[in-house]
Amino acid sequence: MVGKRGYNDGCALAHGLELVGERWALLVVRELLLGPKRFTDLQAALPGVSADVLSQRLKELQGAGLARRRRLGPPAPAWVYELTGWGAELEPLITGLARWASQSPALPVHAPISASSLILSLKALFDPDAAGDLDATIALRLGDEEFAIRIADRAFQATRDVVGAADVTLHTDTDSLTAMLHDNLELSKAMRHGRVELTGDMATARRFLTLFPLPRAVAVD
């Protein structure tokens, strides 16, 4: 890419790193995988990035043909960033990398995580054998963001925003959901302490929370 120092290597992997290997680039892509976002939404989801660096990463992703900027129409007109079709093809690479990295004994499981990142981590960790014959739609309201999780035929699908009825609705936050998934925080206890509000079938909600086990950490020599 013009103005950037490259690897001078004909390998497609090297070129791929030139496209998305800059710091924060893949995390920007991660935040856009579930749908478009405003610049301020990206800043909120990536609190460690400066406005200048975020602007630069977005400019580079647009220049590479991975993202674009467009204006939303009424009733809430705003400029948003979204992935192109080619940019969206990065999803299996990102979830695969996340699945691989979840085996790290140094994984900072208690560090802050954005809502989009948490939803994508569910996709990366989803266990189809545990899901079995479960056929359910789970609405997740994480702060101001809403997601619909569809589990059927041993497959996982996630979309931003909830359309239609859900079997279960969980209104919580990323820390509480992470604790229920990976820190043995029981759903009923979280409800008693006001960390989650549940609408719908409790048994389905409990089963849902068991479908995303962390893999065993690798042994480091």
Side-chain angles (χ1 to χ4, degrees):
M1 298 175 67
V2 177
K4 290 182 61 177
R5 184 176 179 182
Y7 292 104
N8 192 30
D9 189 319
C11 172
L13 174 60
H15 181 60
L17 288 174
E18 291 174 354
L19 295 175
V20 295
E22 292 289 337
R23 182 171 170 80
W24 296 106
L26 277 181
L27 297 188
V28 173
V29 173
R30 178 197 74 190
E31 291 302 314
L32 297 177
L33 279 171
L34 293 173
K37 284 190 172 185
R38 298 172 299 176
F39 187 89
T40 52
D41 295 329
L42 289 168
Q43 281 185 302
L46 301 168
V49 67
S50 70
D52 287 345
V53 170
L54 179 56
S55 295
Q56 184 62 33
R57 292 295 90 83
L58 287 166
K59 185 182 299 183
E60 291 166 356
L61 290 171
Q62 290 174 87
L66 300 172
R68 56 181 165 241
R69 184 172 179 255
R70 68 177 174 90
R71 186 169 179 81
L72 292 179
W79 286 100
V80 296
Y81 294 89
E82 64 183 3
L83 295 177
T84 63
W86 187 40
E89 291 180 18
L90 283 164
E91 180 177 340
L93 282 74
I94 289 176
T95 55
L97 181 60
R99 189 180 303 110
W100 171 78
S102 65
Q103 301 174 84
S104 168
L107 179 69
V109 293
H110 297 106
I113 187 170
S114 74
S116 293
S117 179
L118 181 51
I119 298 301
L120 289 170
S121 76
L122 297 184
K123 186 166 189 175
L125 297 173
F126 176 69
D127 183 350
D129 291 334
D133 62 355
L134 179 63
D135 187 330
T137 298
I138 314 296
L140 287 179
R141 294 176 178 166
L142 302 175
D144 295 330
E145 298 191 63
E146 296 188 6
F147 304 88
I149 309 298
R150 177 70 183 149
I151 297 174
D153 300 322
R154 296 162 52 92
F156 175 101
Q157 290 183 321
T159 57
R160 190 178 297 280
D161 299 327
V162 179
V163 178
D167 299 285
V168 174
T169 298
L170 295 173
H171 192 175
T172 184
D173 57 76
T174 57
D175 288 344
S176 297
L177 182 55
T178 300
M180 288 186 287
L181 290 166
H182 304 310
D183 287 340
N184 298 315
L185 173 62
E186 216 285 322
L187 176 58
S188 58
K189 182 177 180 179
M191 293 172 65
R192 288 197 305 271
H193 291 164
R195 298 183 65 175
V196 60
E197 297 177 7
L198 181 146
T199 303
D201 184 59
M202 173 76 82
T204 299
R206 283 200 170 106
R207 186 173 177 188
F208 169 75
L209 293 170
T210 68
L211 304 183
F212 314 97
L214 285 172
R216 186 183 301 273
V218 297
V220 179
D221 296 331

